[in-house]
Structures are given as C-alpha cells and as structure tokens.
Amino acid sequence: MRIVAIGCLLLLSSFARAAEPAVEIEAGTEKRSFTRDELLGRPDAATIEIPKDITYGGPMTYRAVPAAALLARLTFPPGSVIEAVAVDGFAAQIPLDLMLDTDAEKAIAWVAIEPADRPWPKVPGKDYTAGPFYIVWTEPEASSIRSEYWAYQLGKLRSQLSPTARWSALAVDEGLPADDSARAGEALYVAQCLPCHKLNGGGASDVGGDLNLPMNATEYMTAAGLHALIRDPKSVRSWPGMKMNGWPPDLLSDREIDHIIAYLKHMARRKVAPPK
C-alpha cells in the first residue's frame, strides 16, 4: 500500500508540474521554456509601474522580466521579427529591435507574470484576465509602440521572417509611389490587423477572417462603414461572441484608418489564392 501511495503522490506531483503555465521561446532550432515560478524567481524579475496599460485602460503594477533577457544569446536570422502567440491564436509580429532594446530612454518590453495567488483583474468586457503572461511596455510612447504589441495571454515567443518575406502576397504593388497611402496601410495592417486577420492567406492567426478572400472587405462594406467598424465594432454590429475591440483615436488615428482602407482597396485588385 505504501508503494501505491508513493506512486500516487509522484503522479499528482507530475500533474501539478504539467499544469504550471509556461511561456515558450523559439529562435530557429533553439528552444527555451520558462514556468511562472521560474520567471518569478529570476534575479532580474522586477516590479514595474505602467501608468496607462493598453489592455486595462489605466495604471497597473506588475512583476515582470525584461523580454530582452529571455531572448538573450539566441541566434536570430537576418530580418527576423518576434511572433508573439497567444493561447487563442492571436499572433502579433513585433520588430526584433523593439523586443531586444534595453535603452532606458526608449520603450522596454517586459513579460509580466500573473501570480497564482493574486490574479489580475479580468480584461474589460471579457471573462478572463490578461495572464498568465503578458507583454507590457515601459515608456511605450518613446518608441511608438503599437497597441497590438501588448500581447496578453501569451503562450509563445518565436522568431520568424518579416511578414512580407514570409507571406509575399501581403505586399502592395512594387510600382506604387513611396508616399502612396496603401504603402502606409500595409505597415499598419501588419501591425494592427494581421494579429487576427489573414490577407490572401498570409498571416499566422485564424482569430478573424481573411479580409481579401474570397471577397475583400471594401467589396461588401462602404468606406464609412469600414471606418466605423475599425473605430468601434459595436457601432456597426454586435453579437455575444464578438472578439474585436475598436481603437480609440490615441491608438489609431482617422488618417491611419484611411491608410488601412486604402491598402484593402488596393489589395482587392491583388487577390492571390493561398497554396493548398
């Protein structure tokens, strides 16, 4: 009986370790994994104050580890970005230089850790918190950090080719002038929309639908309706399971929304069926 009891205890201990949340790090063939307790116990873990948290909309305090420290001594292919993948499939493409920056006068990326015994508040309008891991930024205004770079419910950080190198069908016509609105819209789409919405099959997430296939969003919505949808989805349509949040003007200006719409209009003429 004692042997059986010991076996049960070992099995329960194994289950407990398996249930401990962890964030995975990948760069090429190199892989790392950090559990919540491992991160909280690191000597570089610090308490940070975020005056205006993008997800929670106000001041927050976190125990966090610098993202650059978790990515240190990994080999990144030229032109890499960091793909931040959430547990629901959201996948932000974050410039590598932003994730590796340690200059105190610039934005610094941190991986915030939700303590098991002190859960964070629920995300406004949702029934879950931003944990167990969440990319937050100190001094985000210093480096113009886009709102989608605040990736919550983080599960994995991995190096990838830049989005247009990885998915060439995202790119605008090479012949467009450098100052064409659609070019600015491409960069904004990659930062703000691609984490949820594919385009021409390009993108790592299926949280939302493809905005070019089989029909482009501008083919079934007016420019005014699409602008309103991006700004405040509930002003256009609402249902219990909707996930999309709008962007207030301080996160996405009217001009930037116009750039995204210009990009979508341009890409309606550049439909490319994804490989099967």
Side-chain angles (χ1 to χ4, degrees), residues 14 25 36 47 66-67 70-71 92 130 145 173 183 199 215 235 261:
S14 175
I25 313 287
R36 173 167 50 200
T47 299
L70 302 182
L71 301 172
I145 299 300
D173 188 329
R183 284 196 180 278
L199 190 136
M215 291 184 71
S235 72
I261 294 173

PDB file of all heavy atoms in Angstrom, residues 14 25 36 47 66-67 70-71 92 130 145 173 183 199 215 235 261:
ATOM      1  N   SER A  14       3.525  15.160 -10.733  1.00  0.00           N
ATOM      2  CA  SER A  14       3.738  15.314 -12.167  1.00  0.00           C
ATOM      3  C   SER A  14       2.632  16.136 -12.802  1.00  0.00           C
ATOM      4  O   SER A  14       2.877  17.010 -13.635  1.00  0.00           O
ATOM      5  CB  SER A  14       3.816  13.934 -12.826  1.00  0.00           C
ATOM      6  OG  SER A  14       3.905  14.044 -14.218  1.00  0.00           O
ATOM      7  N   ILE A  25       9.984  29.896 -25.772  1.00  0.00           N
ATOM      8  CA  ILE A  25      10.817  30.792 -26.580  1.00  0.00           C
ATOM      9  C   ILE A  25      11.465  29.965 -27.680  1.00  0.00           C
ATOM     10  O   ILE A  25      12.044  28.909 -27.408  1.00  0.00           O
ATOM     11  CB  ILE A  25      11.932  31.456 -25.734  1.00  0.00           C
ATOM     12  CG1 ILE A  25      11.378  32.019 -24.417  1.00  0.00           C
ATOM     13  CG2 ILE A  25      12.658  32.518 -26.550  1.00  0.00           C
ATOM     14  CD1 ILE A  25      10.560  33.254 -24.549  1.00  0.00           C
ATOM     15  N   ARG A  36       5.963  29.828 -14.715  1.00  0.00           N
ATOM     16  CA  ARG A  36       5.643  31.017 -13.923  1.00  0.00           C
ATOM     17  C   ARG A  36       6.574  31.150 -12.726  1.00  0.00           C
ATOM     18  O   ARG A  36       7.133  32.229 -12.479  1.00  0.00           O
ATOM     19  CB  ARG A  36       4.187  30.946 -13.454  1.00  0.00           C
ATOM     20  CG  ARG A  36       3.792  32.063 -12.482  1.00  0.00           C
ATOM     21  CD  ARG A  36       2.311  32.141 -12.291  1.00  0.00           C
ATOM     22  NE  ARG A  36       1.735  30.842 -11.970  1.00  0.00           N
ATOM     23  CZ  ARG A  36       0.432  30.551 -12.123  1.00  0.00           C
ATOM     24  NH1 ARG A  36      -0.399  31.459 -12.604  1.00  0.00           N
ATOM     25  NH2 ARG A  36      -0.040  29.366 -11.807  1.00  0.00           N
ATOM     26  N   THR A  47       9.450  44.750 -10.087  1.00  0.00           N
ATOM     27  CA  THR A  47       8.114  45.325 -10.015  1.00  0.00           C
ATOM     28  C   THR A  47       8.101  46.584 -10.880  1.00  0.00           C
ATOM     29  O   THR A  47       8.928  47.488 -10.697  1.00  0.00           O
ATOM     30  CB  THR A  47       7.738  45.678  -8.569  1.00  0.00           C
ATOM     31  OG1 THR A  47       7.747  44.483  -7.784  1.00  0.00           O
ATOM     32  CG2 THR A  47       6.361  46.316  -8.506  1.00  0.00           C
ATOM     33  N   PRO A  66      12.475  41.436 -18.072  1.00  0.00           N
ATOM     34  CA  PRO A  66      12.735  42.047 -19.386  1.00  0.00           C
ATOM     35  C   PRO A  66      12.706  41.001 -20.498  1.00  0.00           C
ATOM     36  O   PRO A  66      13.340  39.944 -20.388  1.00  0.00           O
ATOM     37  CB  PRO A  66      14.136  42.642 -19.231  1.00  0.00           C
ATOM     38  CG  PRO A  66      14.347  42.781 -17.758  1.00  0.00           C
ATOM     39  CD  PRO A  66      13.592  41.658 -17.128  1.00  0.00           C
ATOM     40  N   ALA A  67      11.975  41.292 -21.557  1.00  0.00           N
ATOM     41  CA  ALA A  67      11.912  40.350 -22.681  1.00  0.00           C
ATOM     42  C   ALA A  67      13.295  40.117 -23.277  1.00  0.00           C
ATOM     43  O   ALA A  67      13.620  38.999 -23.693  1.00  0.00           O
ATOM     44  CB  ALA A  67      10.963  40.885 -23.746  1.00  0.00           C
ATOM     45  N   LEU A  70      15.126  37.249 -21.715  1.00  0.00           N
ATOM     46  CA  LEU A  70      14.647  35.917 -22.095  1.00  0.00           C
ATOM     47  C   LEU A  70      15.110  35.534 -23.494  1.00  0.00           C
ATOM     48  O   LEU A  70      15.211  34.349 -23.824  1.00  0.00           O
ATOM     49  CB  LEU A  70      13.123  35.857 -22.013  1.00  0.00           C
ATOM     50  CG  LEU A  70      12.497  36.171 -20.647  1.00  0.00           C
ATOM     51  CD1 LEU A  70      10.981  36.031 -20.719  1.00  0.00           C
ATOM     52  CD2 LEU A  70      13.071  35.276 -19.554  1.00  0.00           C
ATOM     53  N   LEU A  71      15.379  36.550 -24.318  1.00  0.00           N
ATOM     54  CA  LEU A  71      15.817  36.307 -25.700  1.00  0.00           C
ATOM     55  C   LEU A  71      17.331  36.367 -25.852  1.00  0.00           C
ATOM     56  O   LEU A  71      17.853  36.133 -26.950  1.00  0.00           O
ATOM     57  CB  LEU A  71      15.177  37.343 -26.632  1.00  0.00           C
ATOM     58  CG  LEU A  71      13.645  37.379 -26.671  1.00  0.00           C
ATOM     59  CD1 LEU A  71      13.161  38.573 -27.486  1.00  0.00           C
ATOM     60  CD2 LEU A  71      13.078  36.088 -27.247  1.00  0.00           C
ATOM     61  N   ALA A  92       0.925  38.438 -32.905  1.00  0.00           N
ATOM     62  CA  ALA A  92       1.471  39.748 -33.259  1.00  0.00           C
ATOM     63  C   ALA A  92       2.880  39.592 -33.812  1.00  0.00           C
ATOM     64  O   ALA A  92       3.661  38.771 -33.336  1.00  0.00           O
ATOM     65  CB  ALA A  92       1.487  40.656 -32.039  1.00  0.00           C
ATOM     66  N   ALA A 130      -5.576  38.965 -18.338  1.00  0.00           N
ATOM     67  CA  ALA A 130      -4.543  39.048 -19.373  1.00  0.00           C
ATOM     68  C   ALA A 130      -3.437  38.026 -19.160  1.00  0.00           C
ATOM     69  O   ALA A 130      -2.519  37.933 -19.969  1.00  0.00           O
ATOM     70  CB  ALA A 130      -3.936  40.455 -19.403  1.00  0.00           C
ATOM     71  N   ILE A 145       5.051  52.444 -29.723  1.00  0.00           N
ATOM     72  CA  ILE A 145       4.639  51.045 -29.641  1.00  0.00           C
ATOM     73  C   ILE A 145       3.173  50.904 -30.055  1.00  0.00           C
ATOM     74  O   ILE A 145       2.300  51.563 -29.500  1.00  0.00           O
ATOM     75  CB  ILE A 145       4.850  50.504 -28.207  1.00  0.00           C
ATOM     76  CG1 ILE A 145       6.327  50.578 -27.825  1.00  0.00           C
ATOM     77  CG2 ILE A 145       4.320  49.083 -28.083  1.00  0.00           C
ATOM     78  CD1 ILE A 145       7.250  49.791 -28.714  1.00  0.00           C
ATOM     79  N   ASP A 173       1.765  46.548 -54.692  1.00  0.00           N
ATOM     80  CA  ASP A 173       2.458  46.611 -55.974  1.00  0.00           C
ATOM     81  C   ASP A 173       3.772  47.380 -55.821  1.00  0.00           C
ATOM     82  O   ASP A 173       3.788  48.487 -55.265  1.00  0.00           O
ATOM     83  CB  ASP A 173       1.552  47.317 -56.990  1.00  0.00           C
ATOM     84  CG  ASP A 173       2.084  47.280 -58.410  1.00  0.00           C
ATOM     85  OD1 ASP A 173       3.317  47.261 -58.588  1.00  0.00           O
ATOM     86  OD2 ASP A 173       1.264  47.286 -59.337  1.00  0.00           O
ATOM     87  N   ARG A 183       0.808  52.039 -49.144  1.00  0.00           N
ATOM     88  CA  ARG A 183       2.070  51.566 -48.552  1.00  0.00           C
ATOM     89  C   ARG A 183       2.044  51.754 -47.037  1.00  0.00           C
ATOM     90  O   ARG A 183       2.432  50.853 -46.286  1.00  0.00           O
ATOM     91  CB  ARG A 183       3.256  52.308 -49.153  1.00  0.00           C
ATOM     92  CG  ARG A 183       3.633  51.869 -50.557  1.00  0.00           C
ATOM     93  CD  ARG A 183       5.019  52.345 -50.944  1.00  0.00           C
ATOM     94  NE  ARG A 183       5.375  51.931 -52.280  1.00  0.00           N
ATOM     95  CZ  ARG A 183       5.858  50.732 -52.596  1.00  0.00           C
ATOM     96  NH1 ARG A 183       6.025  49.827 -51.644  1.00  0.00           N
ATOM     97  NH2 ARG A 183       6.168  50.436 -53.841  1.00  0.00           N
ATOM     98  N   LEU A 199      -4.642  37.879 -44.782  1.00  0.00           N
ATOM     99  CA  LEU A 199      -4.960  38.562 -46.031  1.00  0.00           C
ATOM    100  C   LEU A 199      -4.274  37.775 -47.138  1.00  0.00           C
ATOM    101  O   LEU A 199      -3.074  37.499 -47.053  1.00  0.00           O
ATOM    102  CB  LEU A 199      -4.505  40.021 -46.025  1.00  0.00           C
ATOM    103  CG  LEU A 199      -5.028  40.827 -47.225  1.00  0.00           C
ATOM    104  CD1 LEU A 199      -5.537  42.198 -46.811  1.00  0.00           C
ATOM    105  CD2 LEU A 199      -3.950  40.960 -48.295  1.00  0.00           C
ATOM    106  N   MET A 215     -13.871  37.553 -50.643  1.00  0.00           N
ATOM    107  CA  MET A 215     -14.166  38.939 -51.010  1.00  0.00           C
ATOM    108  C   MET A 215     -13.392  39.872 -50.102  1.00  0.00           C
ATOM    109  O   MET A 215     -13.211  39.599 -48.909  1.00  0.00           O
ATOM    110  CB  MET A 215     -15.676  39.246 -50.888  1.00  0.00           C
ATOM    111  CG  MET A 215     -16.554  38.545 -51.904  1.00  0.00           C
ATOM    112  SD  MET A 215     -18.299  39.048 -51.753  1.00  0.00           S
ATOM    113  CE  MET A 215     -18.216  40.741 -52.363  1.00  0.00           C
ATOM    114  N   SER A 235     -20.543  49.748 -32.954  1.00  0.00           N
ATOM    115  CA  SER A 235     -21.365  50.779 -33.588  1.00  0.00           C
ATOM    116  C   SER A 235     -21.920  50.296 -34.932  1.00  0.00           C
ATOM    117  O   SER A 235     -22.827  50.912 -35.497  1.00  0.00           O
ATOM    118  CB  SER A 235     -20.550  52.059 -33.796  1.00  0.00           C
ATOM    119  OG  SER A 235     -19.588  51.899 -34.831  1.00  0.00           O
ATOM    120  N   ILE A 261      -7.687  51.357 -45.039  1.00  0.00           N
ATOM    121  CA  ILE A 261      -8.733  51.176 -46.043  1.00  0.00           C
ATOM    122  C   ILE A 261      -8.153  51.299 -47.451  1.00  0.00           C
ATOM    123  O   ILE A 261      -8.520  50.541 -48.362  1.00  0.00           O
ATOM    124  CB  ILE A 261      -9.883  52.173 -45.805  1.00  0.00           C
ATOM    125  CG1 ILE A 261     -10.589  51.840 -44.476  1.00  0.00           C
ATOM    126  CG2 ILE A 261     -10.882  52.140 -46.959  1.00  0.00           C
ATOM    127  CD1 ILE A 261     -11.631  52.863 -44.057  1.00  0.00           C
TER     128      ILE A 261
END
